[in-house]
């Protein structure tokens, strides 16, 4: 295997690559931006599922942790690639269907990239609430321009401009490369993990557990209304909708393997990075929602500021107590937590674009790297794309959750393809040395979870928006013209030599034998059928 090269820079004709500057602890701190993702949808999941919300978070987190061992194995096959599990999974699918391989990369990118805009919009809302608590104040109601775009609205309001400033700040921090990014996130991460731990543990120590807030253990009869429902089709649809949207947060620590080609020792650092990041996420995604529900109860969780997310930080801070000074300090630290999310997302999603370009999936311009070793063209692409999404996310809660649901359709597709790539790599590349080899039962369980996730998407996307599933599938399909442009127009139907060498097929541009036969094709057909059948069976 060879180091993945980038395009030659236009100015100096100097070949630049990502630099091996960090150990697994660096990736751990970059991935420490994942636990604050609980702030994105803790209110929405509570509002749609009621008293079963805490169990949804716990079940989703443990699914994500088990799945991560599949990603740890396939990441070890490619110590010179960056960009995360989608890149490693694409290498399994390219032998069977060329367009399916970039689909994995594309879906991972449009799943992760919106963290920038969504996180910025939430942080901007927290800042506005702190500065102008009155919802009718001139600052909170001011907008330069507003309008509608299909099923969503958009607004260039105060939240948009504050969020844009936060994204630009993140861009300039990461412009100096992964080492500086990891160093910054190490200290920011400590500041963030501590207050999240406080809001997760302190209320339980002070007030105990209010078990009455966990019963009756049934989903709501209707989303956002307090009447308890039953375990019928409508109830299961709401629960599956909760599992669907929770996956976007709880599975996210797989971003720790985005930096394989930047590890000093990828043979050992890759597994450690994702394993310890997973343990960190288990702690927070289980404890924080449990405490949240114990303290607020069903009525509190259904209040509008909780459901739309704008009052989550204040509610969590108020649970700790200590007066206005302590509460305001905790709110500020949770704003910092969201900035950490934004930094994590830009670091991971830009490297997905970069490696996708290096491997011949995405346009060539994305493979440019600056003299700090940062993929700046990919970062600019992320920034521009998310400026558009930010205007939508800042409009209202409906538009926010529409973006979240559409992006999560991409994330579920990515997970489906990559969990199945584990067994495909075992068949096609069984001879290749693996720094970490997952138990075979985990590889099999990953394949089962791939179809379980497909059920979540087919049944649950509609909970957040009736058009979310179809919009997600259309967005996923956009990779086809993008890939055809790169592969057949720019590259004349040939993959870059370094991508083929990483597949272990040499320099003759010939993809190796397909040892899995028709199984990958049956898997794809089964996945599509699962989504459609689940969408038909589960109705609100």
């Amino acid at each position: 295997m060879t180091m993945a090269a980038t395009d030659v820079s236009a100015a100096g004709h100097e070949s630049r690559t990502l630099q091996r500057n960090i150990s697994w602890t660096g990736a751990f701190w970059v991935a420490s931006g994942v636990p604050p993702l609980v702030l994105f949808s803790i209110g929405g999941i509570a509002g749609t599922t009621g008293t079963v919300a805490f169990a949804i978070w716990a079940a989703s987190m443990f699914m994500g942790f088990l799945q991560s061992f599949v990603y740890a194995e396939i990441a070890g096959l490619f110590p010179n690639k960056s960009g995360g599990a989608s890149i490693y999974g694409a290498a399994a699918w390219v032998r069977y269907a060329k367009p399916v391989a970039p689909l994995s990369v594309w879906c991972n990118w449009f799943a992760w990239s919106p963290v920038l805009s969504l996180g910025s919009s939430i942080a901007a809302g927290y800042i506005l609430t702190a500065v102008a608590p009155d919802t009718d104040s001139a600052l909170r109601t001011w907008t330069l321009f507003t309008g509608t775009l299909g099923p969503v609205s958009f607004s260039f309001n105060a939240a948009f401009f504050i969020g844009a400033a936060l994204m630009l700040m993140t861009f300039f921090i990461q412009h100096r490369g992964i080492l500086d990014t990891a160093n910054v996130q190490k200290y920011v991460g400590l500041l963030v993990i501590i207050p999240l731990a406080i809001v997760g543990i302190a209320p339980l120590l002070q007030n105990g557990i209010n078990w009455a807030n966990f019963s009756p253990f049934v989903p709501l009869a209707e989303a956002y209304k307090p009447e308890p429902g039953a375990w019928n089709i409508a109830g299961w649809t709401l629960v599956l909708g909760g599992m669907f949207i929770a996956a976007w947060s709880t599975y996210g620590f797989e971003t720790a393997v985005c930096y394989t080609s930047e590890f000093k020792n990828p043979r050992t650092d890759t597994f450690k990075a994702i394993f310890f990041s997973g343990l960190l996420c288990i702690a927070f995604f289980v404890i924080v929602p449990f405490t949240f529900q114990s303290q607020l109860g069903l009525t509190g969780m259904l209040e509008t500021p909780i459901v739309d997310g704008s009052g989550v930080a204040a509610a969590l801070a108020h649970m700790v107590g200590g007066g206005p000074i302590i509460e305001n300090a905790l709110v500020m630290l949770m704003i910092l937590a969201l900035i950490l999310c934004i930094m994590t997302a830009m670091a991971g999603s830009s490297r997905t674009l970069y490696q996708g370009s290096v491997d011949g999936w995405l346009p060539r311009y994305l493979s440019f790297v600056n003299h700090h070793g940062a993929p700046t063209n990919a970062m600019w692409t992320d920034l521009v794309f998310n400026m558009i999404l930010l205007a939508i996310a800042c409009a209202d809660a409906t538009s926010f959750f529409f973006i979240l649901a559409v992006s999560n359709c991409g994330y579920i597709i990515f997970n489906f393809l990559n969990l199945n790539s584990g067994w495909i790599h075992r068949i096609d590349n069984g001879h290749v040395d693996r720094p970490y080899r997952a138990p075979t039962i985990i590889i099999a369980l990953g394949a089962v979870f791939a179809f379980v996730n497909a059920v979540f998407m087919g049944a649950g996307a509609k909970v957040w928006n009736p058009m979310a599933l179809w919009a997600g599938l259309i967005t996923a399909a956009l990779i086809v013209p993008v890939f055809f442009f790169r592969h057949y127009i720019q590259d004349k139907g040939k993959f870059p030599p370094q991508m083929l060498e990483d597949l272990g097929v040499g320099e003759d541009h010939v993809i190796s034998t397909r040892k899995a036969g028709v199984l990958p094709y049956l898997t794809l057909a089964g996945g599509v059928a699962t989504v459609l059948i689940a969408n038909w069976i589960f109705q609100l």
Side-chain angles (χ1 to χ4, degrees):
M1 296 184 181
T2 59
M3 176 67 73
T6 70
D7 282 356
V8 178
S9 66
H13 300 285
E14 177 188 359
S15 178
R16 299 189 182 119
T17 66
L18 301 180
Q19 300 170 5
R20 293 194 181 277
N21 286 331
I22 60 172
S23 66
W24 71 268
T25 56
F28 172 86
W29 287 115
V30 175
S32 66
V34 173
L37 290 177
V38 70
L39 300 174
F40 284 60
S41 50
I42 189 172
I45 291 176
T48 54
T49 63
T51 55
V52 301
F54 80 97
I56 287 173
W57 282 105
S60 182
M61 184 62 242
F62 282 108
M63 278 186 66
F65 187 67
L66 292 174
Q67 290 170 180
S68 71
F69 292 97
V70 178
Y71 299 149
E73 175 174 318
I74 64 175
L77 294 170
F78 306 100
N80 298 317
K81 285 185 182 293
S82 194
S86 64
I87 299 293
Y88 319 131
W93 286 100
V94 68
R95 294 180 170 90
Y96 299 91
K98 283 185 180 180
V100 173
L103 177 65
S104 170
V105 179
W106 177 261
C107 286
N108 190 33
W109 173 71
F110 85 75
W112 258 106
S113 185
V115 175
L116 276 70
S117 51
L118 298 177
S120 295
S121 69
I122 296 174
Y126 289 174
I127 293 171
L128 284 173
T129 300
V131 174
D134 184 4
T135 56
D136 296 322
S137 65
L139 184 61
R140 297 280 292 275
T141 58
W142 176 85
T143 181
L144 181 64
F145 183 75
T146 187
T148 58
L149 188 65
V152 297
S153 303
F154 64 90
S155 178
F156 294 100
N157 51 20
F160 170 82
F161 289 101
I162 294 172
L166 294 175
M167 285 200 291
L168 286 169
M169 178 186 70
T170 301
F171 178 91
F172 288 115
I173 290 174
Q174 300 203 357
H175 192 270
R176 296 186 59 83
I178 190 63
L179 181 60
D180 282 0
T181 299
N183 286 335
V184 170
Q185 295 215 183
K186 177 180 179 180
Y187 298 106
V188 176
L190 285 172
L191 288 174
V192 166
I193 289 172
I194 292 171
L196 276 178
I198 291 173
V199 300
I201 298 173
L204 296 180
L205 296 177
Q206 294 171 344
N207 307 317
I209 300 173
N210 188 348
W211 293 109
N213 289 338
F214 297 92
S215 62
F217 189 73
V218 292
L220 297 176
E222 185 178 348
Y224 311 119
K225 295 185 179 179
E227 290 78 16
W231 291 102
N232 51 22
I233 293 295
W236 273 109
T237 302
L238 290 174
V239 169
L240 294 173
M243 290 295 293
F244 167 73
I245 217 70
W248 188 80
S249 299
T250 56
Y251 298 178
F253 68 94
E254 48 82 17
T255 191
V257 297
C258 275
Y259 315 99
T260 303
S261 70
E262 294 165 275
F263 285 146
K264 295 176 182 178
N265 185 358
R267 289 188 62 87
T268 58
D269 288 338
T270 301
F271 174 76
K272 290 179 180 179
I274 196 168
F275 178 75
F276 288 106
S277 296
L279 292 180
L280 176 70
C281 287
I282 285 176
F284 286 99
F285 283 115
V286 173
I287 294 174
V288 172
F290 182 85
T291 303
F292 187 75
Q293 185 168 331
S294 175
Q295 300 300 306
L296 291 186
L298 183 59
T299 303
M301 292 192 299
L302 292 178
E303 292 181 358
T304 299
I306 301 300
V307 172
D308 67 20
S310 63
V312 169
L316 289 172
H318 184 69
M319 288 177 352
V320 176
I325 295 178
I326 298 297
E327 290 182 16
N328 289 333
L330 285 172
V331 170
M332 291 300 106
L333 287 173
M334 278 183 269
I335 292 172
L336 197 61
L338 291 166
I339 294 174
L340 188 66
C341 288
I342 298 167
M343 293 178 67
T344 296
M346 181 171 282
S349 62
S350 63
R351 281 157 178 80
T352 298
L353 290 178
Y354 159 81
Q355 192 67 51
S357 177
V358 169
D359 285 349
W361 311 123
L362 303 176
R364 289 179 179 175
Y365 84 95
L366 293 168
S367 59
F368 175 80
V369 172
N370 71 3
H371 61 282
H372 293 296
T376 46
N377 281 3
M379 290 165 59
W380 276 112
T381 301
D382 260 343
L383 189 65
V384 172
F385 174 67
N386 277 279
M387 285 294 182
I388 299 171
L389 293 185
L390 181 62
I392 298 173
C394 289
D396 51 49
T398 300
S399 299
F400 176 94
F401 280 111
F402 178 79
I403 294 174
L404 183 58
V406 170
S407 69
N408 197 44
C409 286
Y411 199 45
I412 295 298
I413 294 171
F414 146 74
N415 274 282
F416 179 87
L417 294 173
N418 283 270
L419 288 171
N420 282 297
S421 75
W423 61 263
I424 295 176
H425 274 304
R426 282 282 183 96
I427 295 174
D428 286 341
N429 302 304
H431 62 286
V432 178
D433 177 53
R434 287 162 166 75
Y436 168 74
R437 187 179 183 91
T440 301
I441 186 64
I442 293 293
I443 298 295
L445 191 60
V448 173
F449 281 170
F451 285 91
V452 174
N453 285 323
V455 172
F456 295 161
M457 183 172 81
K462 65 169 69 76
V463 171
W464 306 97
N465 191 286
M467 296 300 296
L469 175 62
W470 314 115
L473 295 176
I474 291 170
T475 304
L478 293 177
I479 186 56
V480 176
V482 173
F483 170 66
F484 271 62
F485 169 76
R486 169 63 194 269
H487 188 64
Y488 293 104
I489 296 178
Q490 288 191 322
D491 291 346
K492 310 304 180 186
K494 296 182 178 180
F495 285 109
Q498 64 267 23
M499 192 276 279
L500 295 175
E501 290 170 14
D502 278 343
L503 285 177
V505 299
E507 301 179 357
D508 56 359
H509 289 226
V510 177
I511 300 294
S512 62
T513 305
R514 304 167 184 171
K515 300 177 184 177
V518 299
L519 290 178
Y521 304 107
L522 293 176
T523 299
L524 291 174
V528 172
T530 300
V531 170
L532 295 178
I533 292 172
N535 183 67
W536 174 66
I537 292 176
F538 293 96
Q539 302 291 333
L540 293 173

